[in-house]
Amino acid sequence: MSASTFLLLALILFISHTAAPGAFAHAEIARTNPVKSAILTQSPKSVWIEFGETLLTLDKEKINALKVTDSRGKRVDKSPTIVSGVRATTKIVGTLKKGTYLVTYRVVSEDGHPVKGSYSFSVK
């Protein structure tokens, strides 16, 4: 390999790793309500997660999902998930009883990459 070819490859590699470093980032959680591991004294009316970048939405396709289940795996939220900018929200059906609840999510960030995870909170 000639020196000029090596320098060109090194330059391409350098640019691809330093130019627009956020271009390859995926949506990460910025805030949640309720917060992870929270112990609430009252049932929330909704659960929402804000991400560090805008979520992708398609006309009628439901590509983002946020659900809340009780300790037996029964869903306690109202589908479908509402997406507005960086926030995904689901409303709680009725009043949550004492117990631990699992929030699971699968969202697609504007870069097209799906992100999924979960966290829990409790009502006492």
Side-chain angles (χ1 to χ4, degrees):
M1 176 182 319
S2 70
S4 61
T5 303
F6 176 78
L7 287 174
L8 179 61
L9 289 173
L11 180 62
I12 291 170
L13 184 63
F14 174 77
I15 290 171
S16 70
H17 281 72
T18 58
F24 300 106
H26 305 307
E28 292 185 19
I29 292 178
R31 295 183 336 162
T32 65
N33 184 52
V35 297
K36 179 181 177 181
S37 303
I39 300 173
L40 307 176
T41 57
Q42 293 182 344
S43 173
K45 294 185 186 303
S46 65
V47 171
W48 54 259
I49 301 176
E50 285 184 356
F51 294 87
E53 63 182 79
T54 302
L55 300 177
L56 183 65
T57 56
L58 301 174
D59 289 332
K60 296 184 181 184
E61 297 292 321
K62 303 297 179 198
I63 59 173
N64 300 295
L66 180 61
K67 70 178 183 175
V68 183
T69 54
D70 64 17
S71 60
R72 290 180 272 150
K74 181 182 175 201
R75 240 178 133 163
V76 297
D77 67 289
K78 181 179 178 182
S79 185
T81 300
I82 301 161
V83 174
S84 179
V86 299
R87 183 181 282 190
T89 304
T90 189
K91 295 186 186 237
I92 298 298
V93 176
T95 301
L96 299 181
K97 298 177 182 176
K98 291 180 183 181
T100 300
Y101 295 86
L102 181 66
V103 178
T104 57
Y105 60 91
R106 183 195 180 278
V107 296
V108 180
S109 55
E110 275 193 329
D111 66 4
H113 289 93
V115 177
K116 62 182 177 177
S118 63
Y119 72 94
S120 63
F121 68 91
S122 298
V123 177
K124 70 173 200 169

